[in-house]
Amino acid sequence: MNWASMNFYIGSDFMIDSIVGNKLIGIKQCTKSIKNGKGTVLYVAKDAEINLTKSLIDLGIEKNVKIIYINTMKELGKMCSIDVKASAVLVLE
């Protein structure tokens, strides 16, 4: 099994405190960067609107970007050290 090319899904029993490194926040910015071949890990909030995140998730899978699901948009925003909710975050390096 080639772990480098697999997508990872994290359940509610695993917690990441913060996302470090260069990152982009928001569906539009994440989509644009993945289309341009940038990004290594995509974080997506489980409670984000599926009609907004589905195409981003599909693109991430197509481009072999690791995908990690976080329970809530509020939690994902907090992990990025911002005071607002975030539906998607892309780590660039």
Side-chain angles (χ1 to χ4, degrees), residues 6-75:
M6 290 188 61
N7 292 315
F8 293 96
Y9 304 92
I10 294 183
S12 59
D13 58 344
F14 185 82
M15 177 64 186
I16 300 170
D17 290 332
S18 64
I19 299 172
V20 295
N22 292 331
K23 58 190 166 283
L24 295 173
I25 301 170
I27 293 172
K28 289 180 183 179
Q29 288 192 11
C30 292
T31 300
K32 183 177 178 181
S33 289
I34 292 173
K35 283 181 180 178
N36 290 328
K38 298 178 183 175
T40 57
V41 181
L42 175 65
Y43 293 85
V44 179
K46 290 180 183 179
D47 65 343
E49 292 290 330
I50 190 68
N51 60 333
L52 299 176
T53 59
K54 185 179 180 337
S55 61
L56 175 61
I57 293 166
D58 291 344
L59 180 63
I61 291 169
E62 177 186 323
K63 299 288 188 173
N64 292 318
V65 174
K66 292 178 186 171
I67 301 172
I68 299 174
Y69 289 95
I70 304 301
N71 285 330
T72 66
M73 294 189 308
K74 183 176 180 179
E75 190 177 325

Side-chain angles (χ1 to χ4, degrees), residues 17-18 73-82 84:
D17 290 332
S18 64
M73 294 189 308
K74 183 176 180 179
E75 190 177 325
L76 185 53
K78 184 177 178 183
M79 291 169 58
C80 295
S81 301
I82 59 174
V84 295

